[in-house]
Amino acid sequence: MLGNWLSTRSASLSSILVALVVVLVSAVIGLRSPQFSDVGGITMQSVAPLLAGFGILSAFGLAVVNLRLALVLLIATAGLVEIPLGTGTQTNITTVMLVLPTIALAWILQWLIGRRTAPLGDARLNRPIGLFLLILGGSWAANLVLIDVRVLLPGNALLVQGTQVALYLLTFVALLLTASVKWTERSLRVCVAATIGMSMLAVVAGNLGFVSMGPLAPATPMSIGAVLLLGQLILNTRLSDGARLLGWLLLAAWGAGTFLTFRYTYAGGWLPVLVALPVLLWLRSRRLAVFATLAGAIFVWFNRARVDDFLAFKDSVGSLLRPYIWLDVVRMTVDSVWHVLLGLGPVTYKWNWFNPDFVSLSRPLTGNSYVGTGDASVYYAPPSHNFFADLFAQTGLLGTLVFVWLLIVIVVVGWRATQSAPAGFARAHAGGALASLFAMAVVSVASAEWLVPFVYNLGTAGFRQSVYTWLMLGTLVSLGRFGVSIDGVQPAPDQTDA
């Protein structure tokens, strides 16, 4: 009876939420005005927690009524709002970090009262995720008990470590939520359009200076939207000529804006798209992928001067020293058998740089302004800028293997989805989401930890970008499990998931 009552009011609730969003946006615009900020000292910083609380309660209510709509709105806003609540590092909690568990709680409550036929997630995902969290928690506990007295921890160490654990946990929540929903093509189109729009907004914000807007600053840079758009342009054979022209124009605008904002030296802005391109071409045509690869190699050969300039810049800011830093991080971790297996615990390697018995290989090479000079260089405690180095240092060999197992599961499910999804938008989205996984995995080694942010580098602010990758990967898994309904017709679920 409760379910029927809620269903009949879903449309009216949606209308109310739209009205509330309009009111909220109007209030934000008013709060941004200098005249309002002068009245009683009220600013966006002071009311952001109140607005976040309103959004969290609204998300819970909407998720109870319509989980799919709640996730659509989450995807449309996840990159925007940051709450001025500290995490023990230089970044704050973001709204999506609170809304995600709120929606998950609504799902779990509905399952407990019988409104859902299956628990959250998917058996193929739940096993590696559960095992990884067990290893991460075990590593944290073991290193708290068997702490190395030579390593001095800061006073907020538990808060910082808890934040890092939360980033892993929320990453999996994002994946499992979107993997548990039976998507319609219309709702999936809205999600993809919102992700593309957020990527475009990030470029506009970077070029027009909106990044100074405090809590409302959009996530920058954000390339997954460009990857999904490229997937549609390459793989969607049913795209109209007008839509295809608009898509290429948007992609060109994104590329130009990215280079204007971050320059070609910032690999995190453009490298994901470059990595995704051959994957998408391979999904479209093996011959086309080989031809494009050869053409790219020839282009690089005749532009060796620019490549040299790029490498010279990376050398001047110390980026080419990162492999030595990775080696140091690994050496910290392999000092004992149990560290090799379970790692040093969340974040701990960042403080291990100050272990007086640790002899660094990268510090003798750090004679420039990027890392400090002279005696100051001994205080240099860099993050690795490499997700998999972070992963090994924090969870050891066991955690790294289990996480790679999860990625392999997603790749297998995603590959099947690219073969079974209906031709057109759904198949192109499957290919785009699969390509985004390869792109983010590569950039997480070469640039920074874009798969799961490290609290002392990309920080919690980076979660506003990384969460989109996992939300889209969840839709990819959903395509493999349930297919996608078109015109209200839902295909049979994937029987391998039973």
Side-chain angles (χ1 to χ4, degrees):
M1 181 178 297
L2 176 61
N4 293 335
W5 183 84
L6 290 173
S7 298
T8 57
R9 284 157 178 78
S10 176
S12 60
L13 179 61
S14 301
S15 302
I16 293 172
L17 285 171
V18 170
L20 289 175
V21 168
V22 172
V23 173
L24 184 59
V25 170
S26 301
V28 167
I29 294 174
L31 289 169
R32 292 298 301 170
S33 66
Q35 295 84 355
F36 190 91
S37 299
D38 293 336
V39 179
I42 299 176
T43 63
M44 274 301 301
Q45 299 288 340
S46 61
V47 299
L50 180 62
L51 296 177
F54 170 80
I56 291 167
L57 291 176
S58 301
F60 180 82
L62 180 58
V64 170
V65 176
N66 190 326
L67 177 66
R68 187 165 59 213
L69 180 58
L71 289 173
V72 170
L73 290 179
L74 171 69
I75 292 171
T77 59
L80 287 177
V81 184
E82 178 179 290
I83 307 172
L85 297 176
T87 60
T89 63
Q90 295 181 348
T91 55
N92 295 322
I93 291 175
T94 59
T95 304
V96 67
M97 295 176 68
L98 300 178
V99 174
L100 264 176
T102 300
I103 296 177
L105 177 61
W107 174 280
I108 294 171
L109 289 177
Q110 291 182 84
W111 172 63
L112 290 175
I113 64 175
R115 290 195 62 210
R116 299 291 177 192
T117 58
L120 184 66
D122 169 78
R124 293 168 294 189
L125 301 178
N126 291 349
R127 284 190 288 266
I129 288 175
L131 184 55
F132 178 84
L133 291 175
L134 183 63
I135 293 171
L136 178 62
S139 177
W140 190 10
N143 282 282
L144 287 176
V145 174
L146 303 173
I147 188 169
D148 189 341
V149 296
R150 298 170 300 174
V151 179
L152 297 179
L153 304 182
N156 61 354
L158 289 179
L159 175 60
V160 175
Q161 290 178 315
T163 302
Q164 184 65 65
V165 171
L167 288 175
Y168 278 105
L169 181 59
L170 291 173
T171 292
F172 298 141
V173 169
L175 173 66
L176 295 178
L177 275 174
T178 46
S180 302
V181 173
K182 295 181 180 180
W183 294 93
T184 64
E185 184 166 308
R186 183 172 62 177
S187 61
L188 199 54
R189 284 178 182 270
V190 173
C191 290
V192 172
T195 305
I196 294 172
M198 192 61 65
S199 291
M200 296 298 299
L201 179 61
V203 169
V204 172
N207 281 284
L208 298 185
F210 291 169
V211 292
S212 61
M213 291 177 63
L216 287 180
T220 56
M222 186 174 158
S223 56
I224 184 175
V227 173
L228 295 179
L229 177 57
L230 187 62
Q232 292 295 324
L233 294 172
I234 292 177
L235 299 178
N236 190 348
T237 57
R238 298 184 178 180
L239 209 58
S240 66
D241 292 339
R244 192 175 300 279
L245 176 61
L246 176 61
W248 284 115
L249 290 175
L250 284 175
L251 190 63
W254 176 88
T258 298
F259 274 78
L260 285 173
T261 307
F262 304 107
R263 311 299 180 187
Y264 73 94
T265 54
Y266 193 90
W270 51 266
L271 184 58
V273 178
L274 190 63
V275 173
L277 179 60
V279 178
L280 293 170
L281 292 175
W282 182 266
L283 291 172
R284 176 64 185 267
S285 168
R286 309 294 189 269
R287 292 181 179 178
L288 182 61
V290 172
F291 174 79
T293 301
L294 292 175
I298 294 173
F299 176 83
V300 170
W301 174 259
F302 283 102
N303 288 271
R304 297 191 303 278
R306 292 191 176 186
V307 174
D308 291 340
D309 290 342
F310 175 77
L311 294 177
F313 173 82
K314 288 297 183 181
D315 183 56
S316 68
V317 298
S319 296
L320 293 185
L321 295 176
R322 288 177 184 173
Y324 296 98
I325 297 173
W326 305 340
L327 180 59
D328 271 350
V329 172
V330 171
R331 290 173 60 243
M332 294 176 190
T333 312
V334 298
D335 64 343
S336 68
V337 174
W338 71 281
H339 280 159
V340 170
L341 294 177
L342 291 178
L344 301 168
V347 188
T348 306
Y349 88 80
K350 185 68 164 60
W351 306 313
N352 240 44
W353 285 99
F354 304 115
N355 184 337
D357 294 333
F358 177 70
V359 179
S360 170
L361 296 178
S362 61
R363 276 185 180 148
L365 304 173
T366 58
N368 56 50
S369 59
Y370 174 71
V371 296
T373 58
D375 293 339
S377 65
V378 301
Y379 299 107
Y380 176 49
S384 70
H385 291 271
N386 182 329
F387 169 72
F388 292 98
D390 285 355
L391 186 65
F392 176 68
Q394 296 180 97
T395 64
L397 184 61
L398 294 179
T400 303
L401 291 176
V402 172
F403 197 95
V404 171
W405 171 22
L406 172 64
L407 297 183
I408 292 174
V409 168
I410 297 174
V411 169
V412 171
V413 175
W415 171 255
R416 292 175 179 172
T418 62
Q419 306 303 304
S420 61
F425 169 81
R427 187 173 297 177
H429 173 64
L434 185 61
S436 72
L437 175 56
F438 284 95
M440 294 305 167
V442 170
V443 80
S444 288
V445 174
S447 174
E449 64 291 350
W450 293 104
L451 278 176
V452 181
F454 185 61
V455 289
Y456 277 121
N457 190 34
L458 296 179
T460 53
F463 187 69
R464 292 190 294 167
Q465 294 102 307
S466 66
V467 69
Y468 278 93
T469 298
W470 295 95
L471 289 167
M472 292 301 104
L473 289 177
T475 64
L476 175 64
V477 174
S478 177
L479 283 174
R481 295 178 67 191
F482 309 117
V484 59
S485 65
I486 302 176
D487 298 328
V489 179
Q490 183 72 42
D494 182 359
Q495 297 300 317
T496 63
D497 187 42

